[in-house]
Coordinates of all heavy atoms in Angstrom, one line a residue:
E441 N 12.9 22.7 12.2 CA 13.8 23.7 12.7 C 13.2 25.1 12.5 O 12.4 25.3 11.7 CB 15.2 23.6 12.0 CG 15.9 22.3 12.1 CD 17.1 22.2 11.3 OE1 17.5 23.2 10.6 OE2 17.8 21.2 11.4
T442 N 13.6 26.0 13.4 CA 13.1 27.3 13.3 C 13.5 28.0 12.0 O 14.7 28.0 11.7 CB 13.6 28.2 14.5 OG1 13.1 27.6 15.7 CG2 13.0 29.6 14.4
N443 N 12.6 28.4 11.2 CA 12.9 29.2 10.0 C 11.9 30.4 10.0 O 11.2 30.6 11.0 CB 12.7 28.4 8.7 CG 11.3 27.7 8.7 OD1 10.3 28.3 9.1 ND2 11.3 26.5 8.1
R444 N 12.0 31.2 9.0 CA 11.2 32.4 9.0 C 9.7 32.2 9.1 O 8.9 32.9 9.7 CB 11.5 33.3 7.7 CG 12.9 33.9 7.7 CD 13.1 34.7 6.5 NE 14.5 35.3 6.5 CZ 14.9 36.1 5.6 NH1 14.2 36.4 4.5 NH2 16.2 36.6 5.7
T445 N 9.2 31.1 8.4 CA 7.8 30.8 8.4 C 7.4 30.4 9.8 O 6.4 30.9 10.4 CB 7.5 29.7 7.4 OG1 7.7 30.2 6.1 CG2 6.0 29.3 7.5
R446 N 8.2 29.5 10.4 CA 7.8 29.0 11.8 C 8.0 30.1 12.8 O 7.1 30.3 13.7 CB 8.8 27.8 12.1 CG 8.5 27.3 13.5 CD 9.3 26.1 13.8 NE 9.2 25.7 15.2 CZ 9.6 24.5 15.7 NH1 10.2 23.6 14.9 NH2 9.4 24.2 17.0
Q447 N 8.9 31.0 12.6 CA 9.1 32.1 13.5 C 7.9 33.1 13.4 O 7.4 33.5 14.5 CB 10.4 32.9 13.2 CG 10.8 34.0 14.1 CD 12.1 34.7 13.8 OE1 12.3 34.9 12.6 NE2 12.9 34.9 14.8
F448 N 7.5 33.4 12.2 CA 6.3 34.2 12.1 C 5.1 33.6 12.7 O 4.3 34.3 13.5 CB 6.0 34.5 10.6 CG 4.7 35.1 10.3 CD1 4.4 36.4 10.6 CD2 3.7 34.3 9.8 CE1 3.1 36.9 10.4 CE2 2.4 34.8 9.5 CZ 2.1 36.1 9.9
I449 N 4.8 32.4 12.5 CA 3.6 31.7 13.0 C 3.7 31.7 14.6 O 2.7 32.0 15.3 CB 3.5 30.3 12.4 CG1 3.1 30.4 10.9 CG2 2.4 29.5 13.2 CD1 3.2 29.1 10.2
D450 N 4.9 31.3 15.1 CA 5.0 31.3 16.6 C 4.8 32.7 17.2 O 4.2 32.8 18.2 CB 6.4 30.8 16.9 CG 6.5 29.3 17.0 OD1 5.4 28.6 17.2 OD2 7.6 28.7 16.8
Q451 N 5.3 33.7 16.5 CA 5.1 35.1 17.1 C 3.7 35.5 17.0 O 3.2 36.1 18.0 CB 5.9 36.1 16.2 CG 7.4 36.0 16.5 CD 8.2 36.9 15.6 OE1 7.8 37.2 14.5 NE2 9.4 37.3 16.0
W452 N 2.9 35.1 16.0 CA 1.5 35.4 15.9 C 0.8 34.6 17.0 O -0.1 35.1 17.7 CB 1.0 35.1 14.5 CG -0.5 35.2 14.5 CD1 -1.5 34.2 14.4 CD2 -1.3 36.5 14.5 NE1 -2.7 34.8 14.4 CE2 -2.6 36.1 14.5 CE3 -0.9 37.8 14.6 CZ2 -3.6 37.1 14.5 CZ3 -1.9 38.8 14.6 CH2 -3.3 38.4 14.6
F453 N 1.1 33.3 17.1 CA 0.4 32.5 18.2 C 0.6 33.1 19.5 O -0.3 33.2 20.3 CB 1.0 31.1 18.2 CG 0.5 30.2 17.0 CD1 -0.4 30.7 16.1 CD2 0.9 28.9 16.9 CE1 -0.8 29.8 15.0 CE2 0.5 28.0 15.9 CZ -0.4 28.5 15.0
D454 N 1.8 33.6 19.8 CA 2.1 34.2 21.1 C 1.3 35.4 21.3 O 0.7 35.6 22.4 CB 3.6 34.6 21.2 CG 4.5 33.4 21.3 OD1 4.0 32.3 21.7 OD2 5.7 33.5 21.1
L455 N 1.1 36.2 20.3 CA 0.3 37.5 20.5 C -1.1 37.1 20.8 O -1.8 37.7 21.6 CB 0.4 38.3 19.2 CG 1.7 39.1 19.0 CD1 1.7 39.7 17.6 CD2 1.8 40.2 20.0
V456 N -1.7 36.1 20.1 CA -3.1 35.8 20.3 C -3.3 35.1 21.6 O -4.2 35.5 22.4 CB -3.5 34.8 19.1 CG1 -5.0 34.4 19.4 CG2 -3.4 35.5 17.8
L457 N -2.5 34.1 21.9 CA -2.7 33.3 23.1 C -2.4 34.0 24.4 O -2.8 33.6 25.5 CB -2.0 32.0 23.0 CG -2.4 31.1 21.8 CD1 -1.5 29.9 21.6 CD2 -3.9 30.7 22.0
Q458 N -1.6 35.1 24.3 CA -1.2 35.8 25.5 C -2.1 37.1 25.7 O -1.9 37.8 26.6 CB 0.3 36.2 25.4 CG 1.2 35.1 25.5 CD 2.7 35.4 25.3 OE1 3.0 36.6 25.3 NE2 3.5 34.4 25.1
S459 N -3.0 37.3 24.7 CA -3.9 38.5 24.8 C -5.1 38.2 25.6 O -5.8 37.1 25.3 CB -4.2 38.9 23.4 OG -5.2 39.9 23.4
T460 N -5.5 39.0 26.5 CA -6.7 38.8 27.2 C -8.0 39.2 26.4 O -9.0 38.6 26.6 CB -6.7 39.7 28.5 OG1 -6.6 41.1 28.1 CG2 -5.6 39.3 29.5
Q461 N -7.8 40.1 25.4 CA -8.8 40.4 24.5 C -8.3 40.4 23.0 O -7.7 41.3 22.5 CB -9.4 41.8 24.8 CG -10.2 41.9 26.0 CD -11.5 41.1 25.9 OE1 -12.0 40.9 24.8 NE2 -12.0 40.7 27.1
P462 N -8.4 39.2 22.4 CA -7.8 39.1 21.0 C -8.4 40.2 20.1 O -7.6 40.5 19.1 CB -8.3 37.7 20.6 CG -8.4 37.0 21.9 CD -9.0 38.0 22.9
R463 N -9.6 40.7 20.3 CA -10.1 41.7 19.3 C -9.2 42.9 19.4 O -9.2 43.7 18.4 CB -11.5 42.0 19.7 CG -11.8 42.7 21.0 CD -13.2 42.9 21.2 NE -13.8 43.8 20.3 CZ -15.1 44.0 20.1 NH1 -16.0 43.3 20.8 NH2 -15.6 44.9 19.2
D464 N -8.5 43.2 20.5 CA -7.7 44.4 20.6 C -6.5 44.3 19.6 O -5.8 45.3 19.4 CB -7.2 44.6 22.0 CG -8.3 44.9 23.0 OD1 -9.4 45.3 22.5 OD2 -8.1 44.8 24.2
L465 N -6.2 43.1 19.1 CA -5.0 43.0 18.2 C -5.3 43.7 16.9 O -4.4 44.0 16.1 CB -4.8 41.5 17.9 CG -4.3 40.6 19.0 CD1 -4.2 39.2 18.6 CD2 -2.9 41.1 19.5
L466 N -6.6 44.1 16.7 CA -6.9 44.8 15.5 C -6.2 46.2 15.4 O -5.9 46.7 14.4 CB -8.4 45.0 15.4 CG -9.0 45.6 14.2 CD1 -8.8 44.8 12.9 CD2 -10.5 45.8 14.3
L467 N -5.9 46.8 16.6 CA -5.3 48.1 16.7 C -3.9 48.0 17.4 O -3.3 49.0 17.7 CB -6.2 49.0 17.5 CG -7.6 49.3 17.0 CD1 -8.4 50.2 17.9 CD2 -7.5 49.9 15.5
N468 N -3.4 46.7 17.5 CA -2.2 46.5 18.2 C -1.0 46.8 17.2 O -0.9 46.2 16.2 CB -2.1 45.1 18.7 CG -0.9 44.8 19.5 OD1 0.2 44.8 19.0 ND2 -1.1 44.6 20.8
A469 N -0.1 47.7 17.6 CA 1.0 48.1 16.7 C 1.9 47.0 16.5 O 2.5 46.8 15.4 CB 1.7 49.3 17.3
V470 N 2.2 46.1 17.5 CA 3.1 45.0 17.4 C 2.5 44.0 16.4 O 3.3 43.5 15.5 CB 3.4 44.4 18.7 CG1 4.3 43.1 18.6 CG2 4.1 45.4 19.7
A471 N 1.3 43.7 16.5 CA 0.6 42.8 15.6 C 0.6 43.3 14.2 O 0.9 42.6 13.2 CB -0.8 42.5 16.1
Q472 N 0.3 44.6 14.0 CA 0.3 45.1 12.7 C 1.7 45.2 12.0 O 1.9 44.9 10.9 CB -0.3 46.6 12.7 CG -1.8 46.6 13.0 CD -2.4 48.0 12.8 OE1 -1.7 48.9 12.4 NE2 -3.6 48.1 13.2
D473 N 2.7 45.5 12.9 CA 4.1 45.5 12.4 C 4.5 44.1 11.9 O 5.2 43.9 11.0 CB 5.0 46.0 13.5 CG 6.4 46.3 13.0 OD1 6.5 47.0 12.0 OD2 7.4 45.8 13.5

Side-chain angles (χ1 to χ4, degrees):
E441 301 177 359
T442 300
N443 54 36
R444 290 183 179 180
T445 297
R446 178 169 174 173
Q447 185 179 42
F448 164 73
I449 292 170
D450 276 334
Q451 288 175 332
W452 174 254
F453 283 2
D454 289 342
L455 283 170
V456 175
L457 298 173
Q458 293 172 13
S459 173
T460 56
Q461 288 295 333
R463 65 183 296 167
D464 293 343
L465 293 174
L466 189 61
L467 302 176
N468 185 292
V470 175
Q472 292 190 5
D473 190 54

